[in-house]
Amino acid sequence: MSGTNLLLIPTRFIVTIGQLLALCMVSQTLDDNIYASLSDKPTNANYRETKQTTETALYIAYACLALDLFNLICGFSMFSERVNVMQIFSHFWGSVFTSWFIANTWRAHTLWFIVIGSCIPTALVEVWVLISIFHFGTI
């Protein structure tokens, strides 16, 4: 294992877990973000719709992070420096923006931008890694 991977692998694990923990905190503070998104007198239907779409974004983020961690722990993408750097960059900024989402009580729909920008691209890379390994026999 090269010296670079000695730093990249634990860093990738830490920032991925960091974003997972930040997203778990979102599930605890979600009501504040939902109320920040709604008008002064929200209806029950508006609240339910906003909550449902925001929870969908959370579930997609959880699934993407689960795939990222699965591939890392199983070693499928562990030793690919390019994948590790991309994951570190994406999950670092995802953690930062998720923390701001919580701290600044951003509108609930902005969680979708965080998920689309930081979780989905990494999951697509991990899917490509799996396809490369099991279909093409290389990474």
Side-chain angles (χ1 to χ4, degrees), residues 26 30 32-38 49-58 101 105-117:
V26 166
L30 192 57
D32 297 334
N33 299 95
I34 291 171
Y35 285 119
S37 305
L38 300 174
E49 179 184 349
T50 305
K51 184 171 180 136
Q52 183 180 14
T53 58
T54 309
E55 285 177 342
T56 302
L58 268 176
F101 176 81
T105 317
W106 286 353
R107 294 175 182 247
H109 71 275
T110 55
L111 183 62
W112 275 106
F113 296 109
I114 296 169
V115 171
I116 290 168

Side-chain angles (χ1 to χ4, degrees), residues 12-112:
R12 176 181 167 189
F13 180 76
I14 289 170
V15 296
T16 304
I17 294 296
Q19 187 171 12
L20 179 63
L21 290 174
L23 287 166
C24 287
M25 290 188 326
V26 166
S27 66
Q28 299 299 313
T29 63
L30 192 57
D31 283 338
D32 297 334
N33 299 95
I34 291 171
Y35 285 119
S37 305
L38 300 174
S39 64
D40 291 336
K41 297 178 183 175
T43 64
N44 221 8
N46 287 346
Y47 175 83
R48 279 194 311 265
E49 179 184 349
T50 305
K51 184 171 180 136
Q52 183 180 14
T53 58
T54 309
E55 285 177 342
T56 302
L58 268 176
Y59 297 145
I60 290 171
Y62 290 147
C64 292
L65 288 169
L67 178 64
D68 292 347
L69 287 170
F70 174 79
N71 276 6
L72 176 64
I73 291 169
C74 290
F76 296 128
S77 62
M78 182 183 291
F79 299 109
S80 173
E81 289 183 13
R82 286 181 283 162
V83 172
N84 284 334
V85 168
M86 186 262 192
Q87 294 273 355
I88 290 167
F89 177 80
S90 184
H91 289 307
F92 171 77
W93 285 110
S95 299
V96 168
F97 285 119
T98 304
S99 298
W100 287 343
F101 176 81
I102 296 166
N104 297 327
T105 317
W106 286 353
R107 294 175 182 247
H109 71 275
T110 55
L111 183 62
W112 275 106

